[in-house]
């Protein structure tokens, strides 16, 4: 009974791994790259070639004794006004994560006057692009033809190997 259960569990796991779709995963952006959240970065230039999508994360790394991560509205962003932030993301560790869970413009500044030194970031969160469409099928013969998709063949091979290994262990 135990060996049959183990075999079924191994088979189920292997099949789930083989059939799992290849999804695009959320991206984590370290704000300012190697410089982090510091006055040494031009955030307007840093953000210019990036696309921020729903589900991505902003990761602020900074000197916790000098800086903070405050989310403000557009007016306070432009004026570097930190008196009434919409949200204070500062946890005190100098490693703060902000989930991009709304498609809108968001504005972040550092307090203690650092905003005037350039520590301000504006990001626009977008909906993820749609997945690429499959090419149209030209005829019925093309439908019957077996296609080897590289995203499925390798996981399927590993799954079959795992099931075979489990089968041999159970039988042996």
């Amino acid at each position: 009974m135990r060996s049959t259960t183990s075999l079924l569990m191994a088979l189920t796991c292997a099949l789930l791994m083989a059939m799992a779709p290849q999804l695009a995963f959320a991206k984590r952006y370290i704000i300012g790259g190697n410089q982090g959240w510091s006055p040494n970065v031009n955030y307007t230039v840093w953000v210019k070639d990036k696309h921020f999508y729903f589900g991505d994360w902003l990761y602020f790394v900074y000197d916790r004794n000098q800086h903070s991560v405050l989310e403000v509205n557009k007016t306070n962003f432009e004026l570097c006004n930190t008196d009434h932030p919409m949200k204070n993301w500062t946890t005190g560790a100098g490693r703060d994560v902000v989930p991009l869970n709304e498609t809108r413009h968001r504005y972040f500044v550092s307090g203690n006057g650092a905003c005037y030194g350039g520590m301000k970031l504006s990001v626009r969160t977008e909906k993820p692009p749609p997945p690429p469409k499959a090419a149209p099928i030209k005829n019925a013969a093309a439908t019957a033809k077996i296609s080897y998709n590289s995203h499925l063949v390798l996981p399927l091979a590993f799954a079959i190997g795992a099931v075979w290994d489990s089968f041999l262990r159970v039988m042996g």
Side-chain angles (χ1 to χ4, degrees):
M1 177 75 175
R2 183 173 173 259
S3 61
T4 305
T5 305
S6 297
L7 181 60
L8 286 175
M9 286 180 63
L11 180 61
T12 302
C13 289
L15 287 174
L16 286 175
M17 286 183 350
M19 300 312 247
Q22 300 293 326
L23 298 174
F25 293 100
K27 190 170 184 179
R28 181 187 72 164
Y29 289 92
I30 299 174
I31 303 305
N34 294 337
Q35 300 287 322
W37 183 233
S38 73
N40 302 326
V41 177
N42 181 333
Y43 292 98
T44 304
V45 172
W46 180 82
V47 78
K48 199 171 196 167
D49 64 341
K50 294 172 179 51
H51 287 277
F52 300 93
Y53 296 112
F54 182 89
D56 287 348
W57 297 83
L58 302 180
Y59 186 49
F60 291 85
V61 179
Y62 59 95
D63 180 347
R64 66 185 177 157
N65 297 315
Q66 306 249 335
H67 305 296
S68 57
V69 179
L70 306 173
E71 187 169 0
V72 296
N73 63 28
K74 184 177 182 180
T75 302
N76 287 337
F77 173 80
E78 292 167 352
L79 298 172
C80 283
N81 182 356
T82 60
D83 291 340
H84 302 288
M86 294 167 43
K87 177 137 176 123
N88 184 346
W89 290 96
T90 309
T91 60
R95 307 282 184 271
D96 297 321
V97 177
V98 176
L100 298 178
N101 52 11
E102 296 178 60
T103 54
R104 65 178 174 98
H105 231 106
R106 297 185 66 182
Y107 305 92
F108 301 92
V109 298
S110 182
N112 302 330
C115 178
Y116 295 109
M119 287 185 67
K120 55 195 240 175
L121 171 72
S122 168
V123 299
R124 185 172 59 96
T125 307
E126 307 171 47
K127 290 181 182 177
K133 293 184 178 180
I137 298 173
K138 294 181 181 180
N139 60 35
T143 307
K145 190 169 114 177
I146 296 175
S147 171
Y148 293 100
N149 185 336
S150 62
H151 294 290
L152 293 176
V153 172
L154 193 54
L156 188 57
F158 281 118
I160 291 170
V163 170
W164 184 251
D165 182 60
S166 297
F167 178 74
L168 292 176
R169 289 174 192 247
V170 169
M171 300 310 269

